[in-house]
Amino acid sequence: MCVALPGIVEKIEDNNVIVDFSGNKVRAFGGFCKLAPGDRVLVHAGCVLQVVSQSEAEELESILKDIDVIGGGTPVRDVRSFADEAAGAVL
Amino acid sequence: MTIDEVKDALAGYDGRELTLMEVCGSHTRAIAEYGIPGILSPKIRLLSGPGCPVCVTPSSYIDRLLEIGRQPGHVITTFGDLMRVPGSDSSLSEAKSEGVRVDMVYSPMQVVTMAAEEPEKTFVFAAVGFETTIPVYAALVDCIIKKDIRNIRLLLSLKTMPKVIAHLMEGGAAIDGFLAPGHVSVVTGANAFRPLAETYGIPFVVGGFEAKELLLAIYDLVRLQGQGVVKNDYPSVVTAEGNPAASELCDTYFTPADALWRGMGTIPGSGLLLKKEYRRLDMGSDALLSDHKKNAACICGQVLMGKKLPGECPLFAKACTPEHPQGACMVSGEGSCRAYFVYQR
């Protein structure tokens, strides 16, 4: 039920926006975010919840890179217990 | 580090045995669909917690919706997820086939148009959900108030995630880390889980919904075991503070209240009701205090609390199937019993 899908803002009319989901255009409530046409947004139940900050590919790459830094470059295949690894990059 | 290395590390993990829990129906479904439990070391156990809003909605809520729908001039409006959830005697789907008007919508905001087109009817929205969906209901209430719409009401079953996680932990659940719900966190912010992480000394990792994102989040839970920290592995949409505009509108109209969870009982302060000044829009949400099982042998409550796996239920895949569900966990596409039935048997 908490499924949310990414789409592109096509048009803004006050608090309502038209969001393009791969050609399927849907009206959504946009009052919770500052929006501009062309923004990639996350929509849940007809409501824009957030502007997507970067592509999923970039996101995954950045997190994986982050883990390397945390692990100090230790080859992961040699790690059989993580208990002693230092924590880092937490909020 | 590559995702293949993450996968290999999870498959070869040989540290102490870990039990990790996800508390999001969409995670439940995605984990099962991608076959992730089959990739992990036997020392990493994944459990599904009470993260599917449909699954935790008590029977008395469905009963009350049916009671309202049978009154002349009333129309029930709902997301499709709720249609087959069993009440004490019937479901919305069964009632619809008997002539009760139940209209499915994509968004609660559609009801504003529907109500304007049929001013002689009273439209009652079945407002069920967690923090992801609650802002949408706040937007609907805001519209009702500002436009002075007289023929829209709500029946609420709104629940909040941190309270139920605390309830599980206080009840003695031996959980070593939580995969924090991705889209709940979009609204609440990842920091909402920090007090829980610090109190119970376990990691909370916010994860996305793709296979790689899930593996990465599980990897981080394993790596951070024993540490009371929060990590955000879904930063494209989740921030530390969430969506303040959405949270502010929720705070304008809703106030914390005790809530009844299907199979789990009442958890103090784990729900939301309309504030007193807006309670006139409500159809009796504060009086929904009973929860009846359709089948006495159903163990949905224990499954939701991570005490039992779906396959341990005597009804599973026998009396209880997606075609003939006995409990809500088999109804929803995001319920743990349904996911287990479809993907993991």
Side-chain angles (χ1 to χ4, degrees), chain B residues 248-267:
Chain B
E248 194 177 314
L249 197 66
C250 293
D251 291 343
T252 301
Y253 293 111
F254 299 117
T255 187
D258 297 350
L260 178 62
W261 297 62
R262 183 180 285 248
M264 298 171 64
T266 297
I267 303 175

Side-chain angles (χ1 to χ4, degrees), chain A residues 1-4 26 32 44-46 49-50 52-53 59-60 63 67-68 70 76-77 80 82 85 87 90-91, chain B residues 1 8-9 12 14-15 79 106-107 128 132-133 135 183 190 194 216 219 222-223 227 230 233-234 236-237 243 334:
Chain A
M1 186 169 178
C2 291
V3 171
V26 174
F32 293 140
H44 166 70
L49 288 183
Q50 192 59 276
V52 180
S53 66
E59 172 192 330
L60 195 67
I63 296 170
I67 285 179
D68 260 342
I70 296 162
V76 176
R77 283 197 180 87
R80 288 295 176 261
F82 297 81
E85 276 199 41
V90 291
L91 291 167
Chain B
M1 187 171 188
D8 289 348
D14 196 27
F79 295 125
Y106 150 74
S107 169
V128 169
T132 319
T133 319
H183 293 145
R194 184 191 288 277
L216 193 55
Y219 176 87
V222 174
R223 188 176 61 84
Q227 300 174 49
V230 175
D233 281 352
Y234 196 27
S236 63
V237 289
N243 185 323
E334 298 186 341

